Amino acid sequence: GGLIVGALERWTANPLMAAVKQQLTHVAWNGFRFYDLIFPLFVFMVGASISYSVPRSLERSGRAATIRKILTRGVLLFLIGLFYSGGLSTPPAELRMLGVLNRIALCYTAAALLFVFLGRRALVGVWLGLLLGYWALMGLTPIRDIRLDAQPMADLASAKGETNAMVLFQETQARVTGKYDSGYNLANHLDFQYLPGRLYDRYYDPEGLLSTLPAIASCLLGLFAGLFVQAPGRTPVARSLGLIGAGVASVVIGSLWGLEFPVIKKLWTSSF
């Protein structure tokens, strides 16, 4: 579809086609376009599916068997993600440990297990805790005053006469807080320090360690939507209007929150 739209835009020079073509690309960092919503939508859909599959499994097989199924599915999906990144043919140092499938696996496993053990009010509390806690960590935790991007690191290496990025990172003693730029935030710095293997953006990964937490919240949001749709006593129209209303409210809240905690897919910020 993207290729067709791109061809039409080139042939017709139509402003509408140009606008649609832009929506079929990712933003470099801040903000979002249509393409940036596809992956979160999959995570959301996984959460919605949990609301159907886990209660059925609990009823038929019991808690212990359901937990085994959840863990088995999560591990298998994570392994598929590793195989997609190179699997057994790639040395561990060059293998991307986290990616889209890996994140879906982690989100599914975490959300499904939480659903098994917690009631709905507790789940809402966990959801809020993940979003607010991630915001607090990203905004308040001091990080080294160094930007882990290609050009800033090249400039720093030239100035210091040192090419080892980890040495440059560890030698940086100044600390800052409240930074959300690419390579200049807590999530990216933690990936650089602690995430093994190949990182997608060289120094950090858009599906990294810390940003998995708010992604789990996105999965829980899908779970809540699935539970809402299944609640008895609501007509199809009421269900549709409820979901639309929640969607509009979420866009408004996310946009307002983005004034303080920017909407950034590669960080999976709480506003995003």
Side-chain angles (χ1 to χ4, degrees), residues 126-167:
V126 170
W127 174 70
L128 286 172
L130 288 170
L131 295 179
L132 295 174
Y134 185 62
W135 181 28
L137 286 171
M138 291 289 288
L140 301 177
T141 305
I143 64 170
R144 297 177 191 268
D145 190 11
I146 181 173
R147 181 168 180 173
L148 298 172
D149 270 336
Q151 191 58 53
M153 292 298 289
D155 294 341
L156 185 60
S158 178
K160 296 283 188 179
E162 172 61 62
T163 58
N164 188 303
M166 183 58 74
V167 171

Side-chain angles (χ1 to χ4, degrees), residues 168-179:
L168 292 171
F169 182 83
Q170 293 174 342
E171 287 181 348
T172 303
Q173 298 302 315
R175 297 293 196 275
V176 293
T177 58
K179 301 297 183 182

Side-chain angles (χ1 to χ4, degrees), residues 52-233:
Y52 289 89
S53 63
V54 171
R56 188 179 300 117
S57 179
L58 287 171
E59 181 180 351
R60 294 177 178 177
S61 307
R63 176 177 288 186
T66 298
I67 292 172
R68 286 195 297 271
K69 290 179 182 178
I70 292 169
L71 294 176
T72 300
R73 289 172 178 171
V75 169
L76 287 175
L77 185 54
F78 195 92
L79 290 175
I80 291 172
L82 291 181
F83 292 147
Y84 176 80
S85 297
L88 300 177
S89 64
T90 303
E94 300 176 13
L95 181 65
R96 188 182 178 204
M97 297 298 178
L98 294 179
V100 171
L101 292 176
N102 308 82
R103 170 156 289 183
I104 291 175
L106 294 173
C107 290
Y108 163 76
T109 304
L113 290 176
L114 287 169
F115 188 41
V116 168
F117 288 104
L118 299 180
R120 298 189 181 186
R121 290 185 178 180
L123 284 173
V124 172
V126 170
W127 174 70
L128 286 172
L130 288 170
L131 295 179
L132 295 174
Y134 185 62
W135 181 28
L137 286 171
M138 291 289 288
L140 301 177
T141 305
I143 64 170
R144 297 177 191 268
D145 190 11
I146 181 173
R147 181 168 180 173
L148 298 172
D149 270 336
Q151 191 58 53
M153 292 298 289
D155 294 341
L156 185 60
S158 178
K160 296 283 188 179
E162 172 61 62
T163 58
N164 188 303
M166 183 58 74
V167 171
L168 292 171
F169 182 83
Q170 293 174 342
E171 287 181 348
T172 303
Q173 298 302 315
R175 297 293 196 275
V176 293
T177 58
K179 301 297 183 182
Y180 309 117
D181 293 330
S182 60
Y184 196 35
N185 58 78
L186 178 64
N188 290 168
H189 282 200
L190 289 179
D191 290 345
F192 179 69
Q193 287 179 281
Y194 302 114
L195 182 57
R198 178 178 64 85
L199 304 182
Y200 186 84
D201 286 322
R202 185 175 180 181
Y203 298 111
Y204 53 86
D205 202 291
E207 283 79 53
L209 297 168
L210 190 62
S211 60
T212 301
L213 297 178
I216 293 171
S218 296
C219 195
L220 288 174
L221 197 62
L223 171 60
F224 299 151
L227 293 174
F228 176 83
V229 168
Q230 296 175 68

